[in-house]
Amino acid sequence: MSHDRYVSPLSERYASREMQYIFSPDMKFRTWRRLWIALAETEKELGLPITDEQIEELRSHADDINYDVAKEREKLVRHDVMSHVYAYGQQCPKAKGIIHLGATSCYVGDNTDIIIMSEALKLVRTKIVNVIAELADFAEQYKDLPTLAFTHFQPAQPTTVGKRATLWLQEFMMDLEDLEYVLGSLKLLGSKGTTGTQASFLELFDGDQETIDKIDPMIAEKMGFEACYPVSGQTYSRKVDTRVLNVLAGIAASAHKMSNDIRLLQHLKEVEEPFEKNQIGSSAMAYKRNPMRSERIASLSRYVMVDALNPAVTSATQWFERTLDDSANKRLSVPEGFLAIDGILDLCLNVVDGLVVYPKVIEKHLMAELPFMATENIMMDAVKAGGDRQELHERIRELSMEAGKNVKEKGLENNLLELIAADPAFGLSLDELKKTMDPAKYTGRASVQVDKYLADVVRPMLEENRELLGVKAEINV
């Protein structure tokens, strides 16, 4: 490995080998050759004088790409597609004259981009399904464990650890729905020529409109797609890239939200991401256990969310049938968006699979705040015993302020129950008040909602995608 030039952290530290292969030169240029073969086969089947021998010659060199020849040729002609046409022709002298016949550069370039994005989305789908499966198991395991809930990061009515996990889970489910919609809508460009009019094929097939109508469907079928976009300029609409990157940005936003919650919970010492035996949390403070994986999720997620702006701007600024100011941007924004989301999902898999829950800490925090949350029940019990609801409400307000002052200004424990027990207006003993301190009384339908959501929505989806399950995270550093 060379140490004297920049290397992308996405490939060195974050993305899996599988995702890196999808965006590799081998994948790209082997797909180019598959497209040239598909075009030649289609033209032969539609009556052009192309022989079986030429097709077989093309097939025999579909994967052994002579990169050195293409590289040297590109130095001379300054055109990547024509350099690879030349290199392929060097290996296939009998078929040289029919390679790329009637096509423009975007025939291989744009169709390959669609194929690569489709394969990358399939890998993302596999990983997000596995993240959902891990979260579903976590939610089910902790559906009954009461925990302090927060609004505005201020203590609020309790929930359960599992119910909170369904909030993360539901957002990933929304992302999966978006992904499947976009993946299912992807079409190939086909072979439409310089401005999308198929004028070159009119010449090749002597103006036979019926025959020309068959070209795109036949190429699509050979490449594993249902259809081609019905109209285009020289390129497929760059709106397609916008839709794809928006899916990635949505996944990144969901991952970011989950990772932020985990970081806050780790600060509270209630939930902790996995921490390896020899892992170092800080170079200065040896005791620290930093949530570095969750922080990395947040960091990469911000990159993906911002990256989604690139194809939107590119799409908006394409002139007429095409301009080339999309090319350099696409080479960066699309692969890097996928490489980053791949790393994010691997991190999510790793974190969720190893989340550590500390029930005693959770209980301690909950019990410190529960007396405030129990005051409505306490008031109802006092009314049943003959008290005046309006007077009791005012007394509880006054006593709550006093207890809060003791906690905040004096650093004392919450003594609201003791203050209420000492007030004759309530007519309740301390033992009677403590009986109201069962956290399960205050979590509402949390566990029921978890059960229902998992049974009605999540588990059926996982059953439909069971062949995708079992993926383990590939964490480099």
Side-chain angles (χ1 to χ4, degrees), residues 367-383:
M367 296 310 293
E369 301 289 343
L370 198 58
F372 293 122
M373 297 162 196
T375 53
E376 184 176 6
N377 286 21
I378 292 169
M379 184 171 62
M380 294 301 101
D381 290 342
V383 169

Side-chain angles (χ1 to χ4, degrees), residues 237-277:
S237 168
R238 295 313 184 219
K239 176 72 77 172
V240 175
D241 298 343
T242 303
R243 297 173 76 195
V244 170
L245 267 291
N246 281 341
V247 169
L248 304 189
I251 297 170
S254 301
H256 197 300
K257 190 269 192 284
M258 181 180 76
S259 73
N260 274 1
D261 285 355
I262 292 170
R263 290 162 67 190
L264 292 168
L265 290 169
Q266 185 151 335
H267 166 77
L268 297 171
K269 297 181 172 60
E270 293 187 358
V271 174
E272 192 171 72
E273 69 173 39
F275 195 89
E276 295 172 16
K277 181 180 178 182

Side-chain angles (χ1 to χ4, degrees), residues 185-334:
S185 72
L186 286 181
K187 299 177 177 66
L188 287 183
L189 169 68
S191 190
K192 294 188 174 67
T194 306
T195 60
T197 65
Q198 292 185 304
S200 58
F201 292 102
L202 275 175
E203 183 66 27
L204 277 173
F205 290 97
D206 300 320
D208 185 344
Q209 301 282 359
E210 238 180 81
T211 298
I212 295 168
D213 283 342
K214 296 175 183 177
I215 294 173
D216 277 0
M218 291 174 70
I219 289 171
E221 184 179 1
K222 292 177 191 300
M223 299 307 296
F225 280 73
E226 292 185 4
C228 296
Y229 290 107
V231 295
S232 73
Q234 187 178 119
T235 68
Y236 66 78
S237 168
R238 295 313 184 219
K239 176 72 77 172
V240 175
D241 298 343
T242 303
R243 297 173 76 195
V244 170
L245 267 291
N246 281 341
V247 169
L248 304 189
I251 297 170
S254 301
H256 197 300
K257 190 269 192 284
M258 181 180 76
S259 73
N260 274 1
D261 285 355
I262 292 170
R263 290 162 67 190
L264 292 168
L265 290 169
Q266 185 151 335
H267 166 77
L268 297 171
K269 297 181 172 60
E270 293 187 358
V271 174
E272 192 171 72
E273 69 173 39
F275 195 89
E276 295 172 16
K277 181 180 178 182
N278 297 315
Q279 184 175 328
I280 295 174
S282 167
S283 61
M285 295 163 279
Y287 63 87
K288 292 191 77 180
R289 293 167 69 99
N290 297 333
M292 52 83 73
R293 289 176 176 84
S294 295
E295 289 173 324
R296 188 182 296 173
I297 290 170
S299 185
L300 289 171
S301 293
R302 288 198 295 272
Y303 178 85
V304 175
M305 287 187 282
V306 172
D307 186 49
L309 185 61
N310 274 302
V313 174
T314 296
S315 175
T317 55
Q318 284 291 286
W319 298 351
F320 303 114
E321 281 65 46
R322 92 148 306 176
T323 50
L324 199 58
D325 57 335
D326 60 339
S327 178
N329 191 290
K330 275 170 59 69
R331 287 175 191 262
L332 295 168
S333 60
V334 175

Side-chain angles (χ1 to χ4, degrees), residues 39-262:
L39 179 63
E41 288 175 340
T42 298
E43 291 172 336
K44 175 182 178 297
E45 290 162 13
L46 292 177
L48 291 190
I50 295 171
T51 66
D52 288 337
E53 187 179 20
Q54 288 173 312
I55 300 291
E56 284 306 313
E57 188 179 49
L58 291 175
R59 286 177 181 156
S60 68
H61 293 284
D63 294 330
D64 58 325
I65 297 163
N66 45 348
Y67 287 106
D68 53 340
V69 175
K71 187 176 181 180
E72 287 304 310
R73 185 67 175 176
E74 188 169 359
K75 289 178 182 178
L76 178 66
V77 300
R78 300 294 179 185
H79 196 289
D80 56 349
V81 173
M82 290 310 297
S83 299
H84 277 268
V85 168
Y86 175 84
Y88 202 8
Q90 292 294 296
Q91 292 174 309
C92 305
K94 295 174 185 175
K96 179 174 66 172
I98 56 95
I99 297 171
H100 200 67
L101 183 60
T104 187
S105 299
C106 289
Y107 169 68
V108 287
D110 274 36
N111 284 313
T112 294
D113 285 348
I114 293 288
I115 291 166
I116 284 174
M117 287 192 294
S118 176
E119 291 303 308
L121 282 173
K122 290 173 186 175
L123 179 56
V124 171
R125 179 179 61 185
T126 295
K127 292 193 175 184
I128 198 171
V129 165
N130 279 270
V131 170
I132 288 168
E134 295 284 2
L135 277 172
D137 290 344
F138 181 85
E140 188 164 35
Q141 182 179 357
Y142 293 104
K143 66 182 180 182
D144 296 318
L145 180 59
T147 188
L148 192 61
F150 297 94
T151 60
H152 318 279
F153 203 25
Q154 302 300 309
Q157 193 175 67
T159 185
T160 69
V161 172
K163 172 66 193 315
R164 177 177 284 145
T166 63
L167 302 182
W168 308 331
L169 177 56
Q170 182 170 247
E171 293 194 354
F172 283 119
M173 286 288 290
M174 293 178 188
D175 296 325
L176 180 61
E177 289 175 6
D178 292 345
L179 187 156
E180 290 186 331
Y181 176 78
V182 170
L183 178 60
S185 72
L186 286 181
K187 299 177 177 66
L188 287 183
L189 169 68
S191 190
K192 294 188 174 67
T194 306
T195 60
T197 65
Q198 292 185 304
S200 58
F201 292 102
L202 275 175
E203 183 66 27
L204 277 173
F205 290 97
D206 300 320
D208 185 344
Q209 301 282 359
E210 238 180 81
T211 298
I212 295 168
D213 283 342
K214 296 175 183 177
I215 294 173
D216 277 0
M218 291 174 70
I219 289 171
E221 184 179 1
K222 292 177 191 300
M223 299 307 296
F225 280 73
E226 292 185 4
C228 296
Y229 290 107
V231 295
S232 73
Q234 187 178 119
T235 68
Y236 66 78
S237 168
R238 295 313 184 219
K239 176 72 77 172
V240 175
D241 298 343
T242 303
R243 297 173 76 195
V244 170
L245 267 291
N246 281 341
V247 169
L248 304 189
I251 297 170
S254 301
H256 197 300
K257 190 269 192 284
M258 181 180 76
S259 73
N260 274 1
D261 285 355
I262 292 170

Side-chain angles (χ1 to χ4, degrees), residues 1-21:
M1 174 184 168
S2 174
H3 295 279
D4 61 352
R5 63 176 63 187
Y6 176 79
V7 177
S8 171
L10 290 169
S11 56
E12 290 297 303
R13 296 175 69 91
Y14 305 133
S16 67
R17 292 176 184 177
E18 194 173 359
M19 186 63 82
Q20 288 185 61
Y21 175 75

